[in-house]
Amino acid sequence: MKKTIFKIAISLMAIMLLPIQAVQACCGFIIGRQLTKDGSTLFGRTEDYPYYPNGGKHNKNYVVVEAKKYKEGDQIVDESNGFTYPRAASEMKYTATYDSARGDGSNGAFGEHGFNEAGVSMSSTVTAIPNKKVLEKDPLKADGLAEAAMLDVVLPRAKTAREAIELLGKVIQEKGSAEGNTVVVADQKETWYMEILSGHQYVAVKVPEDKYAVFANTYYLGHVDLKDKENVIASEDVEKVAKEAGNYKTDKDGNFHIAKSYGPEKYAEGDRSRTYAGITLLDPKSKITYEDEEYELFRSPTDPNKKFTLEDAFAMQRNRFEHLNGRFVPDDQIGVKKQGDDGANDAVRKDQYKYALGNENVIDAHVYQIDPKLPKSFGGKVWLGLGPSRNTPYVPFYGNVQDTYKAFKPQTATYDPNSWYWTVWHIDQMAIKNQDIFGKSVQDHWKMMEKQFIADQEKKDIENYSLKDQPDAAKAAEGKVTKDSLEMSDRLFQHFKDYEKMMEKRLEAAGRKSDPYRASQPDDKQDPSTPEKPDTPKPPQTTDDANKTIIPAPDYTAAPPTHDIPANAEGNPNNRFGYAAKANVQVFGQPAVRTEVPQVQSPTPQVPSQATQITVANAEGNPNNRFGYTANSDNGKNFKNVETFVNTK
């Protein structure tokens, strides 16, 4: 899918000399270690998939790529555009979050983010769009380095963050870049932010430890000292190309301004809305306005005593303008039923609908926590929100895991009950399409669990700090780290299945249905007169292994796994919110206002109070919520294991 879009974009660009714009929608952030409560560096990104006909539903796999030796002449080949690059003789182990649609020549790998065994972490990329004048002088290369292959080029060989940036620069100089992109790379000592500006031009800067940044799909770097080789890595001709392109722009002091020279004249609306929302959420007292001509990249909180937490990062990636008191409404809510009407009486002005950080197209959200007190080989933790960030829990994994849980690996293109991604996707779909029933109860459920995750992870970190100066012992600990992560993943995934089933029962009690098998099909799929039985995946098979009892970590309440997952034959139409993924949306160019698409309406809901209340709990033997981190808590401790689906709006 991505490969097809990419090829079309490149062809049009070559013919029309227009910049690529495929309704890109990722958004990244960085928080320096001096601004966090625990002294760790935080960075991450939402990965959006707004591409018709599968917008917002695109399976991802979280996996470990084993270390491997290669012979001379072996090459990495990017199936998305034909890019090739020589393999290193010996490549390191690393984690990656790949597209499931890879390996068959139709898509590309899109590893997106990960840790390697040297402790280097990377998030690649937030797509950015070079301007027309620059591309006429230094065009993108159709077979150059693209997002699809970037992680697999860098992480197997870079032993430091600086080395990763230098390698990226070398590859871009030699092979060219297929896209404009922004990239973040970190190790325990440094964090680097890089803007790939055109076919062969780039600038990377070491991130100040006392700053934070929010960046959507455009360029943000202003003036930097290109002579500062300690803190800046840049292509030799970055100023020269801008001048020769006739687009050399300066700041108010007359200094070379990178973003103005290489980026668009003004921010696209979706870039502005997410950047503004992210900054004002992290810094409510900020003096910025929505109409500002540009947003400074590296920022200081207005309150000099402000310290950020993991939960602040999660909240930003989930943000749907809640903090703006009704000024904006997520544009995936156009036409959605509101308080029982059919959407026809929507009182929201069209100019209030904006593209949110926690939008309908997010397929992967991640927060990297780089803790310098951990052993180097651990790297840190990735808090993985695989699926739609608005209703998906963030789960911690050390960077040195040797394997990942089986539910992260199914390469299925449509709903699969054995898949982590498809399960949390379905939970999100039920929550967002039935807000009159669920309100914010699903997200609140995950938030409570995350409090316990954070507390448990802090205990594990303290245990592992002692290995900081013992590299052999740290290496030996990988087996235990992996075992713990697999057992935690198993318990959590079974909780997902229980929770999914309870939500389905709640909808049934309200006279509604949810058919994830049909809803996960492409938007342009035509329903046959006779149902196509082969398209429906088989329910998971119960095995002795699946029914084994696993002794959980402290504070967890385990219950036997439940695998009785029904496959509903009928249900709601799919993707009614994702108009960014509709066929009639402009793919190239940056429209100031997204085109509204007629929405498919679901049947008029029953009054929630008429339905039986479904309890999701371990209370009194209920085989659900095996983690039990729910409503009644005492500052994250002594959870009472009670949760009900109620309208909490």
Side-chain angles (χ1 to χ4, degrees):
M1 181 62 203
K2 290 184 180 180
K3 179 180 180 182
T4 301
I5 292 172
F6 180 84
K7 285 184 172 180
I8 294 172
I10 291 294
S11 299
L12 289 178
M13 182 194 70
I15 297 171
M16 304 171 62
L17 291 175
L18 292 174
I20 300 175
Q21 173 64 29
V23 196
Q24 304 294 342
C26 301
C27 190
F29 80 94
I30 306 169
I31 301 175
R33 65 184 58 178
Q34 293 183 24
L35 293 180
T36 61
K37 283 189 176 182
D38 63 357
S40 63
T41 299
L42 301 177
F43 74 92
R45 179 169 57 90
T46 54
E47 179 191 358
D48 294 14
Y49 192 86
Y51 307 104
Y52 179 83
N54 296 85
K57 44 191 179 186
H58 191 72
N59 187 13
K60 301 290 294 189
N61 299 148
Y62 169 54
V63 301
V64 173
V65 182
E66 297 293 341
K68 190 174 181 180
K69 296 186 181 298
Y70 291 93
K71 62 181 183 293
E72 187 175 353
D74 286 344
Q75 296 199 60
I76 181 173
V77 180
D78 182 357
E79 65 180 2
S80 76
N81 71 336
F83 167 86
T84 62
Y85 199 74
R87 292 282 191 180
S90 180
E91 296 192 349
M92 291 182 285
K93 173 177 74 73
Y94 59 101
T95 60
T97 306
Y98 288 121
D99 276 19
S100 66
R102 66 186 186 279
D104 62 358
S106 66
N107 186 77
F110 292 89
E112 299 303 321
H113 58 95
F115 278 108
N116 71 16
E117 61 184 277
V120 177
S121 52
M122 181 179 186
S123 181
S124 60
T125 65
V126 176
T127 303
I129 315 301
N131 66 60
K132 177 181 177 180
K133 290 182 178 180
V134 165
L135 290 180
E136 289 176 343
K137 180 62 183 177
D138 184 26
L140 300 171
K141 298 284 290 184
D143 60 350
L145 179 64
E147 173 184 347
M150 191 175 293
L151 191 89
D152 294 320
V153 170
V154 175
L155 280 192
R157 61 187 80 201
K159 295 182 178 179
T160 67
R162 176 182 286 271
E163 187 175 312
I165 295 297
E166 291 173 342
L167 173 61
L168 274 172
K170 178 176 181 291
V171 175
I172 292 168
Q173 289 288 347
E174 294 176 353
K175 305 285 291 188
S177 177
E179 306 160 337
N181 278 313
T182 62
V183 183
V184 180
V185 187
D187 56 29
Q188 291 187 337
K189 294 182 178 180
E190 301 176 338
T191 303
W192 285 80
Y193 168 90
M194 182 181 198
E195 292 187 351
I196 300 172
L197 301 165
S198 61
H200 300 86
Q201 307 307 314
Y202 59 88
V203 176
V205 296
K206 188 190 300 183
V207 179
E209 294 182 352
D210 61 346
K211 302 289 185 180
Y212 76 92
V214 180
F215 44 97
N217 299 104
T218 192
Y219 300 117
Y220 292 84
L221 281 174
H223 173 67
V224 302
D225 184 358
L226 298 175
K227 297 179 181 179
D228 181 1
K229 304 302 182 183
E230 176 63 26
N231 298 296
V232 179
I233 298 173
S235 54
E236 184 177 347
D237 295 331
V238 66
E239 280 195 87
K240 178 182 177 183
V241 167
K243 290 178 179 178
E244 292 179 350
N247 207 57
Y248 184 89
K249 301 294 180 64
T250 60
D251 61 16
K252 59 182 177 60
D253 297 320
N255 298 311
F256 175 54
H257 194 287
I258 296 166
K260 289 181 178 179
S261 299
Y262 280 85
E265 291 186 5
K266 61 180 181 179
Y267 296 142
E269 192 70 12
D271 301 341
R272 179 179 298 279
S273 63
R274 288 173 294 152
T275 306
Y276 177 79
I279 293 172
T280 53
L281 181 67
L282 293 176
D283 186 10
K285 296 181 179 180
S286 172
K287 301 300 183 183
I288 69 167
T289 72
Y290 190 78
E291 294 76 22
D292 284 356
E293 180 181 348
E294 61 181 293
Y295 296 127
E296 184 180 0
L297 178 61
F298 298 123
R299 312 181 67 86
S300 298
T302 304
D303 180 357
N305 298 315
K306 176 66 176 178
K307 299 295 182 182
F308 298 103
T309 66
L310 278 166
E311 290 163 303
D312 291 326
F314 302 161
M316 182 176 63
Q317 294 189 330
R318 287 176 172 141
N319 181 258
R320 292 174 61 78
F321 307 124
E322 297 93 339
H323 67 300
L324 298 180
N325 301 316
R327 181 180 179 186
F328 300 139
V329 177
D331 59 11
D332 57 28
Q333 297 294 289
I334 294 177
V336 178
K337 295 179 181 182
K338 296 182 173 61
Q339 302 299 323
D341 76 32
D342 61 1
N345 299 316
D346 189 356
V348 179
R349 301 193 317 272
K350 288 186 177 181
D351 64 352
Q352 287 181 273
Y353 285 113
K354 303 293 185 184
Y355 198 60
L357 287 150
N359 64 76
E360 77 276 19
N361 297 317
V362 177
I363 58 175
D364 159 45
H366 51 272
V367 175
Y368 278 71
Q369 184 182 24
I370 311 303
D371 185 348
K373 297 186 293 295
L374 285 169
K376 179 181 177 182
S377 60
F378 279 58
K381 288 89 65 178
V382 57
W383 292 81
L384 185 62
L386 194 67
S389 59
R390 54 196 180 184
N391 289 298
T392 298
Y394 287 81
V395 184
F397 298 96
Y398 281 123
N400 64 339
V401 293
Q402 298 171 322
D403 195 7
T404 62
Y405 184 59
K406 59 187 179 182
F408 287 119
K409 299 175 182 180
Q411 289 185 245
T412 43
T414 56
Y415 178 78
D416 180 347
N418 298 296
S419 162
W420 187 293
Y421 171 85
W422 285 116
T423 298
V424 296
W425 170 86
H426 183 214
I427 289 172
D428 170 77
Q429 291 293 295
M430 288 189 285
I432 206 71
K433 295 179 180 180
N434 300 277
Q435 297 174 55
D436 57 326
I437 293 178
F438 299 116
K440 290 186 174 294
S441 62
V442 176
Q443 188 181 110
D444 290 343
H445 183 72
W446 301 140
K447 286 180 178 178
M448 191 62 70
M449 294 183 69
E450 288 163 356
K451 288 182 181 294
Q452 190 66 51
F453 289 162
I454 292 171
D456 289 347
Q457 191 60 49
E458 288 175 349
K459 296 176 183 178
K460 293 179 182 179
D461 289 346
I462 292 172
E463 294 176 0
N464 290 314
Y465 288 160
S466 63
L467 306 176
K468 172 70 174 177
D469 299 318
Q470 304 179 59
D472 292 341
K475 180 68 176 178
E478 290 182 3
K480 182 180 184 303
V481 167
T482 303
K483 180 176 181 292
D484 289 347
S485 73
L486 292 175
E487 291 180 351
M488 180 267 295
S489 297
D490 183 73
R491 295 192 300 275
L492 182 55
F493 185 65
Q494 298 311 320
H495 177 75
F496 288 170
K497 303 311 298 187
D498 293 340
Y499 203 79
E500 180 185 37
K501 190 174 182 179
M502 290 302 101
M503 292 181 72
E504 291 176 329
K505 288 183 175 180
R506 180 67 180 88
L507 292 179
E508 290 174 5
R512 306 180 194 179
K513 296 180 180 179
S514 174
D515 182 2
Y517 296 102
R518 175 61 185 89
S520 63
Q521 297 285 343
D523 294 348
D524 58 359
K525 179 177 174 62
Q526 299 295 316
D527 289 322
S529 56
T530 303
E532 299 177 13
K533 299 291 185 180
D535 285 349
T536 301
K538 295 181 179 179
Q541 300 298 310
T542 302
T543 64
D544 293 339
D545 195 49
N547 287 323
K548 69 181 180 181
T549 301
I550 298 175
I551 300 175
D555 301 324
Y556 293 174
T557 302
T562 301
H563 291 283
D564 183 19
I565 312 301
N568 299 324
E570 299 177 357
N572 297 326
N574 62 303
N575 198 21
R576 62 172 55 97
F577 306 139
Y579 71 87
K582 300 297 183 181
N584 63 338
V585 170
Q586 182 178 353
V587 177
F588 308 104
Q590 300 190 67
V593 180
R594 295 163 97 66
T595 304
E596 181 176 344
V597 172
Q599 304 298 311
V600 180
Q601 304 298 332
S602 59
T604 302
Q606 304 294 317
V607 178
S609 62
Q610 296 176 347
T612 304
Q613 193 174 57
I614 306 297
T615 300
V616 181
N618 266 331
E620 304 299 327
N622 193 317
N624 304 296
N625 191 19
R626 35 182 63 77
F627 284 82
Y629 311 145
T630 54
N632 297 326
S633 67
D634 181 15
N635 296 321
K637 300 178 181 179
N638 302 318
F639 294 95
K640 306 300 183 182
N641 301 327
V642 177
E643 166 75 341
T644 56
F645 294 126
V646 295
N647 187 347
T648 58
K649 294 196 314 184

